[in-house]
Amino acid sequence: QVQLVESGGGLVQPGGSLRLSCAPSGNIDIIYSMAWYRQVPGNQRELVADSISVGNTYYANSVKGRFTISRDYAKNTVYLRMNSLKPEDTAVYYCNVKDIRDFNYWGQGTQVTVSS
């Protein structure tokens, strides 16, 4: 079964930057969208950024202007560049890929901690 492999999380000081990466371990039928979610213990998983196609992206209001989602279509890889990080960005970040049959793939999650 295809898995999503994430990397790039870690500990960073407020105001710092991180870049998350995610790629499938195998072939996925035609991809509809690639996205990043995050979850804090006790809260629902929330959509952070979504990329359907070039120029067709969505960002949560809380990250607009600070986070950038991008894709390498040749490698089926999605990135999340996070700048000006705040303590409230601390969460487990999950990669999501949806194919054209509306099937969802999820990564295992990577911890991002913003703290001084």
Side-chain angles (χ1 to χ4, degrees), residues 30-63:
I30 299 174
I31 292 174
Y32 174 73
S33 66
M34 304 183 84
W36 289 95
Y37 288 72
R38 66 186 180 187
Q39 188 169 24
V40 176
N43 288 2
Q44 286 189 336
R45 193 171 294 186
E46 65 169 346
L47 177 62
V48 176
D50 191 8
S51 172
I52 296 175
S53 61
V54 176
N56 189 357
T57 56
Y58 163 86
Y59 294 96
N61 286 334
S62 58
V63 307

Side-chain angles (χ1 to χ4, degrees), residues 69-80:
I69 188 170
S70 60
R71 291 168 64 174
D72 183 328
Y73 286 84
K75 298 179 180 179
N76 274 346
T77 301
V78 62
Y79 305 95
L80 185 68

Side-chain angles (χ1 to χ4, degrees), residues 40 68 81 96:
V40 176
T68 302
R81 177 69 179 181
N96 168 268

